[in-house]
């Protein structure tokens, strides 16, 4: 069902769906040196704990970790070594960071897509949250976030050679090259 | 996977999932004259912008647009031309409008289902949001909305000859005639 | 697609997705005497009405109903009759009850998993909500709930021989033994 060769693999899922663990497994299966590109910003203690716990979990497995909350496109461009696989976790946190920093999000998305069109330097796994399957949020900021995140998910899914939805730790293939 | 002939096609998805674009593509593929039956009510500026933008997007493609926030069953019944395809976007907004207008929603749903049982005058595509996959909402109104919308989705799915769930712009077939 | 023999069947879905009706149908198809293990606690009138309505719906079909909001592991262990099928509805309400009672949830989850590893006394159907596909909740309690529920769903899915996601009343197989 799943191939161990891909240019862009897109892993979509809910909170605590097991999407990151699935993405890490797929990155590992490439046999390439894995780089974890974390978009998380530790703004409070709850987040700091989560980020640190995840970093520790990976450290013992020989992952290199890069933390980049905003300049994702540049960070992807800087990784020119074709012998590695890049795991970006996750796109929705990136969108959230861009909103907090008051960046022009449609423009940032276009820049990311343009960079990917040139071809990523090696295989890349994107992890993202599906956030549009609950009730319409009360506040306009959350609605705007949901719109940006949904549009970005569509763009990445369109470019990916494989798209997998993860629920309760189980993968459901939405798109596959073969 | 997808047929271009159907009596009732039901397209279910989240906010910004690409469900409307998918539904429009499927309506177009029938080769029939498309009518867009919009249930959206422009209650504030944010909504007015969205509705106008969507209307413009379709106008250039030769769609006829009907706006009907409440009398959906009558609007479907009025379209007696078998040479057209009707796209209803979307059922969850209809439920929301009915709640605001304090209508008897179970009764309104029964009336819609009865009309569909007589056979729609031509192929019809229903678009709806799945809203039950987040945390239980705090307020009773939102919980009631979620219940009505979920029950309506089940009824339409049971009648449809094809049901497609859309995530990140990609279709996942839940039910198919063949 | 679906087998009528299973040790653990896990039915996951949203609110008003038809997941309970699907789970009841699958329990009935085993041909065994069905026991409904309800975790719902009637804390307010809205809930009391729902619980009572569901109990009445099943009573006419010859189901035995057990209500157990907290001691789920013990209730499963107490059912030693292999000629019955047990339907647990639902795991997310159990997590919610444990949080209200300030129990150690990771420990409660381990106890349930350990019990299941010994082998359930007969076939068992677990129903659970997927709650992680909306916007991140504002309050920390709801985020903690979502984390616990998501982790429990992953654990049960990993143990189940069959996992089905239900949307708009339609089953989507995520995992199957054959």
């Amino acid at each position: 069902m799943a191939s161990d060769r891909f240019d862009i693999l897109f892993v979509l899922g809910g909170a605590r769906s097991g999407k990151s663990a699935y993405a890490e497994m797929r990155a590992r299966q490439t046999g390439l040196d894995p780089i974890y590109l974390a978009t998380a910003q530790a703004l409070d203690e709850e987040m700091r704990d989560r980020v640190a716990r995840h970093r520790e979990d990976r450290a013992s497995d020989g992952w290199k970790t890069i933390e980049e909350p905003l300049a994702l496109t540049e960070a992807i461009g800087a990784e020119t070594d074709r012998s590695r696989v890049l795991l970006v976790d996750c796109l929705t946190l990136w969108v959230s960071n861009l909103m907090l920093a008051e960046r022009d999000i449609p423009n940032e998305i276009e820049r990311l897509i343009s960079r990917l069109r040139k071809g990523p330097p090696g295989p890349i796994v994107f992890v993202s949250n599906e956030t549009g399957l609950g009730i319409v949020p009360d506040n306009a900021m959350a609605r705007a976030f949901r719109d940006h995140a949904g549009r970005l998910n569509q763009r990445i899914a369109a470019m990916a050679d494989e798209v997998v939805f993860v629920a309760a730790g189980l993968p459901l293939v939405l798109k596959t090259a073969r």
Side-chain angles (χ1 to χ4, degrees), chain A:
Chain A
M1 196 147 96
S3 144
D4 53 354
R5 287 284 142 186
F6 52 80
D7 290 316
I8 299 176
L9 164 63
F10 184 38
V11 179
L12 187 67
R16 298 293 147 212
S17 62
K19 61 188 185 308
S20 294
Y22 177 81
E24 289 181 30
M25 181 198 72
R26 292 295 305 275
R28 233 178 259 119
Q29 284 176 352
T30 62
L32 302 173
D33 289 335
I35 301 178
Y36 186 88
L37 207 165
T39 58
Q41 283 193 100
L43 295 174
D44 60 27
E45 204 163 335
E46 187 189 357
M47 273 302 296
R48 247 188 307 271
D49 287 358
R50 286 194 182 197
V51 169
R53 206 163 52 234
H54 290 162
R55 200 190 300 116
E56 282 164 35
D57 287 353
R58 287 185 309 268
S60 55
D61 271 342
W63 287 66
K64 176 180 160 190
T65 293
I66 299 172
E67 289 176 24
E68 182 45 70
L70 293 168
L72 178 61
T73 301
E74 288 72 13
I76 290 171
E79 290 303 325
T80 54
D81 184 354
R82 294 193 58 82
S83 69
R84 60 81 195 140
V85 56
L86 194 62
L87 192 167
V88 177
D89 191 359
C90 68
L91 289 176
T92 29
L93 274 176
W94 179 56
V95 168
S96 180
N97 296 337
L98 291 173
M99 285 186 78
L100 287 172
E102 301 188 0
R103 299 289 177 89
D104 177 347
I105 294 173
N107 181 50
E108 294 284 347
I109 291 177
E110 289 311 321
R111 288 179 57 237
L112 173 62
I113 298 296
S114 295
R115 181 63 195 83
L116 295 175
R117 278 212 186 104
K118 287 186 211 166
I124 183 161
V125 185
F126 286 104
V127 176
S128 192
N129 276 76
E130 167 61 56
T131 61
L133 291 161
I135 283 288
V136 178
D138 283 333
N139 73 82
M141 181 95 172
R143 286 197 298 276
F145 167 76
R146 205 167 70 143
D147 287 352
H148 289 309
R151 286 196 188 99
L152 174 56
N153 286 344
Q154 290 187 47
R155 299 294 295 274
I156 299 291
M159 292 200 67
D161 37 343
E162 191 180 341
V163 182
V164 176
F165 184 86
V166 177
L170 299 171
L172 188 67
V173 177
L174 288 178
K175 182 181 181 181
T176 176
R178 50 218 72 202

